[in-house]
Structure formats: structure tokens, C-alpha cells
Amino acid sequence: MSNIDLSKIKILLLYDYFKNQMNAFDQNGTVSISELITYLKEKTGYEFERKSIYSDINKINDFINKTGRVVGGDSWIVSEGKKYRRNQLADEISLDEARLIVDAISTTYFVDTVLCDKIIKMFPTYFDADYKRRALVSHYEKIDRKKLSWLNNIRSGIDSRSALKIIYGYKLGNELTEKTEKIVSPMALDWENNCYYLIAVDNSDAADLERDRSLSKALRRYRVDRMAQVQYAQKGKYIDYKSEKIREQELKKFIDNSLSAFSSDEAIVVRLTITGRTRKDALKAYGAFASRIRNEIRIDDDTKLDSGILKISVETGKAPTLYTDLFELSTFEGVSIKIDNDEVCREYAEYIKKAAMAAKLESL
């Protein structure tokens, strides 16, 4: 191999070394020229002069600066005495971000954890040999590859504004029953309770509705794992809002009014007084309720937490699961709740009455 070819390979090897073998987030991550000479000799079998390596580092810095990719300094590769370290690149995933991605993949049941291995290999300086042993427990379950292709069909339908035909049913064990065919206009994908949901206009329900705000009454949420088929509806018409702005506003309202994947087209303000025997009792109950609510919960000014009294208010959807969440508050020992909303009080009383009746029948 000629000296010219070796010189070209040398600068690429140096770039790769600083990019993939050095960690911008490790304050102790430095390398000396002697170490770089040894590294290059291992890769090429040739021992390069120090002066040529200094020159290549300057060229690499010029390239990075011209592409505007350096963060936190004028140069990507900087000298510290007799050693070099590198700064972060603008398009670079940070150490914490890479580990968050690996954690998210590990705990998502349908994403093969082989993908974690690929990401770990992409960022060798972020993950040591024992990282997988310390990582979060994997929840991966092998699923039908068809369902992944259905997700692609849904995304394509959203992007191209095309109607979809879905076969939708109810799960009974591993079987899907009561299946029906629906023509829908896909709007967005949502992720909640470890499931994908398709938010779409049900075309049959939208047929008699006016566009825009009235159209939102036909918005539905469909669990992707309850679909038996997803394909383009060849004769289906895509039903959409008049503008993208209106669509985004109505989708946001629809999602904000959701509770545990159940949606409502009606938003209500619920004010609650949580009274516990102690401050800690009230906070435990509040924490359980807050973990289920999407919207921000406001702590009222007349809260007396030191006395175990916590007053809150939240705007949320009037979905069936609201009453389930309110009931859970009542199950905390030493905690009572007061609901400052007459309509919610009445419907919650009906919920409790039905639950009590079911328990009574079960005991007979």
C-alpha cells in the first residue's frame, strides 16, 4: 500500500478513534500521541511520525468546524498538556440519553433486546462489559411480525392521509373474538399502559357529523394488539379536519381528556379533598391518583398538609376509569375523600352501588 493510501486511512482511523473510542462525557478520557501511534501501528502495521498526527488532528478539527457540529468549544479535539480529549458533537447522543434508550428498549415487551446489543456496540465507551448485568430486567416477548408490519401500515396511513380497513376485536386469553371490520381515518399513534393505540376517526360514526369540532365526536382509540388486520381501504375516503392546526388542537384535547386509555369528548374540573390520618397517608393516596392522570394537578391554596388535608383540582375527561381511580383513593387505610362536583358525586355513588351489589351477589 502506498504512503498516500496509508495517509488517507490514517486520518480516517484517527477520526473513528476520537468519535467511537473516546467519550466526550468522561472528564478523564484522554489519549497521548504515543498511544495514537501505537493504535495506528496495530491497525496499519506502519509507525507514523508525530508531526503527521498533529497535522491530521488539525485537519479533522477544520472539517468538524466547517460542518458546525462541535459543542462546547471552538475545536472538537483539544489538547490538555501532552494529551488530547474531545468535546461533544451537536448530533451526538449523550451518555444519559443512550442509557435511557437501552432501558426503554429492555422494558418494552415487543422490541427484541438484540436491538440493545446493537446500540451498545454503537457507543462502546458508554457501556462497560458488565452493563447488561446491571441493566433493567428485560420484558421482551416474541410477537407476530405481522403486527410490526401493521404499525408500518398505520404510520403510512397517517403520513399519506389514507383510510385504513382494520379488523378489530376483544381479547379472550390469546384469542381475538367478536371481530368486526371498521373503516377508519388514522390521525395519530399513542403509547400508554405498555400498548400502542391508534387514534382515528371512525368513518361510519363520522358520516352524519359536520367537519372540524363536531368531527371529534367520531374520534376513537383502538388498541393495536386487538387488531387482526390492518390494510389500506381501497374504496374508503379519508375524513379529515379542515386544517392541520384544528386537527392538532382536537387531537391534543382528545388525549388530554383520556384516562387509562379511555377517552371522553367532555372535559370536567374535579376538585378533591384528600384527608389522611397523617401527612404521609394523604401523600400516598395522592401519589397513586396523580400517576394515572395525564393533566397537571393543581394544589389548592387552602391545603393543610401538616394536618393531613390535601386539596387538589384537575381538568380531565369524564371517562369510566375516572371512577375507578377515585375508588382507589378510598382504599387507602386512614384516608377519606370529598368530591366537589355534584355530577361526579352522583356517578361515583352509582359506581359504588354497582360494586357493592356485585360483591353482595358474589357472597350469596
Side-chain angles (χ1 to χ4, degrees):
M1 186 178 292
S2 68
N3 287 339
I4 293 176
D5 290 334
L6 278 175
S7 294
K8 291 178 180 178
I9 290 175
K10 171 167 64 79
I11 194 167
L12 291 173
L13 285 170
L14 286 171
Y15 174 82
D16 181 75
Y17 184 91
F18 281 101
K19 177 72 168 57
N20 297 312
Q21 303 301 319
M22 294 193 70
N23 183 351
F25 307 93
D26 181 2
Q27 296 301 314
N28 298 316
T30 59
V31 63
S32 67
I33 291 294
S34 296
E35 289 171 323
L36 289 175
I37 290 173
T38 301
Y39 168 75
L40 290 171
K41 187 173 182 180
E42 289 174 355
K43 293 295 184 181
T44 66
Y46 186 86
E47 186 167 320
F48 293 93
E49 295 181 357
R50 289 173 172 264
K51 186 168 65 173
S52 69
I53 295 175
Y54 293 138
S55 176
D56 282 348
I57 288 174
N58 289 333
K59 289 175 183 176
I60 292 171
N61 274 333
D62 286 343
F63 164 71
I64 294 296
N65 289 339
K66 282 182 171 61
T67 56
R69 295 168 60 206
V70 71
V71 172
D74 295 329
S75 298
W76 181 42
I77 304 170
V78 295
S79 62
E80 290 188 346
K82 296 183 178 180
K83 292 200 170 187
Y84 287 87
R85 64 172 180 83
R86 76 170 181 87
N87 287 315
Q88 181 186 358
L89 294 177
D91 56 357
E92 186 172 24
I93 293 176
S94 71
L95 172 65
D96 290 337
E97 289 168 340
R99 290 182 174 178
L100 279 173
I101 291 170
V102 169
D103 286 347
I105 293 169
S106 297
T107 54
T108 302
Y109 78 94
F110 64 85
V111 181
D112 195 331
T113 47
V114 170
L115 184 55
C116 290
D117 298 330
K118 293 180 180 179
I119 293 174
I120 288 171
K121 287 179 181 178
M122 287 173 64
F123 304 97
T125 61
Y126 290 174
F127 304 94
D128 59 32
D130 294 325
Y131 181 82
K132 287 190 71 176
R133 178 178 56 80
R134 302 191 306 271
L136 295 178
V137 175
S138 172
H139 290 257
Y140 173 62
E141 300 174 11
K142 190 173 183 179
I143 65 168
D144 189 345
R145 303 299 295 182
K146 285 183 180 179
K147 293 188 178 179
L148 295 181
S149 69
W150 293 344
L151 278 172
N152 290 331
N153 289 348
I154 290 170
R155 291 190 181 99
S156 297
I158 293 169
D159 291 340
S160 63
R161 298 285 182 244
S162 301
L164 297 175
K165 181 175 77 173
I166 65 173
I167 305 297
Y168 196 68
Y170 295 87
K171 297 189 78 171
L172 181 63
N174 294 323
E175 299 295 322
L176 203 61
T177 65
E178 299 296 322
K179 292 180 283 189
T180 56
E181 180 182 302
K182 295 179 179 291
I183 305 299
V184 300
S185 299
M187 298 283 164
L189 274 170
D190 192 18
W191 173 261
E192 190 171 1
N193 298 333
N194 212 30
C195 291
Y196 268 116
Y197 291 85
L198 167 63
I199 299 174
V201 169
D202 186 317
N203 283 20
S204 61
D205 289 345
D208 299 325
L209 294 173
E210 296 179 5
R211 296 278 288 278
D212 296 334
R213 299 192 187 281
S214 296
L215 185 60
S216 296
K217 294 181 180 179
L219 275 179
R220 301 288 180 266
R221 184 187 290 262
Y222 303 99
R223 273 179 58 158
V224 173
D225 64 347
R226 283 171 51 185
M227 296 178 184
Q229 180 180 302
V230 180
Q231 63 186 45
Y232 283 100
Q234 299 298 329
K235 297 181 180 180
K237 178 184 177 183
Y238 189 85
I239 301 175
D240 201 0
Y241 293 91
K242 289 180 180 177
S243 71
E244 185 173 346
K245 182 179 179 180
I246 294 175
R247 184 195 313 120
E248 293 301 319
Q249 288 173 343
E250 294 303 300
L251 281 175
K252 182 179 185 304
K253 185 186 299 182
F254 181 83
I255 292 171
D256 287 346
N257 289 347
S258 298
L259 277 171
S260 301
F262 285 84
S263 298
S264 168
D265 59 4
E266 181 182 353
I268 57 172
V269 175
V270 180
R271 293 183 175 85
L272 294 174
T273 300
I274 304 171
T275 303
R277 289 176 302 189
T278 66
R279 174 191 179 102
K280 185 181 289 187
D281 289 335
L283 287 172
K284 283 182 180 178
Y286 165 78
F289 183 72
S291 67
R292 297 175 178 272
I293 301 296
R294 279 178 177 262
N295 291 356
E296 181 181 356
I297 296 177
R298 190 174 71 84
I299 309 299
D300 293 351
D301 294 335
D302 53 347
T303 282
K304 299 176 182 177
L305 196 51
D306 288 339
S307 300
I309 299 172
L310 180 55
K311 295 189 176 185
I312 62 175
S313 59
V314 62
E315 183 177 352
T316 186
K318 200 177 71 172
T321 46
L322 170 62
Y323 305 104
T324 306
D325 298 338
L326 290 172
F327 178 75
E328 184 182 22
L329 277 172
S330 303
T331 64
F332 282 83
E333 188 175 351
V335 171
S336 62
I337 64 169
K338 180 182 177 182
I339 304 169
D340 185 13
N341 183 303
D342 291 341
E343 183 181 6
V344 173
C345 276
R346 285 195 302 272
E347 296 195 11
Y348 181 56
E350 286 297 318
Y351 174 88
I352 296 296
K353 190 184 296 182
K354 288 180 181 178
M357 184 62 70
K360 183 178 180 180
L361 290 173
E362 184 67 27
S363 64
L364 293 178

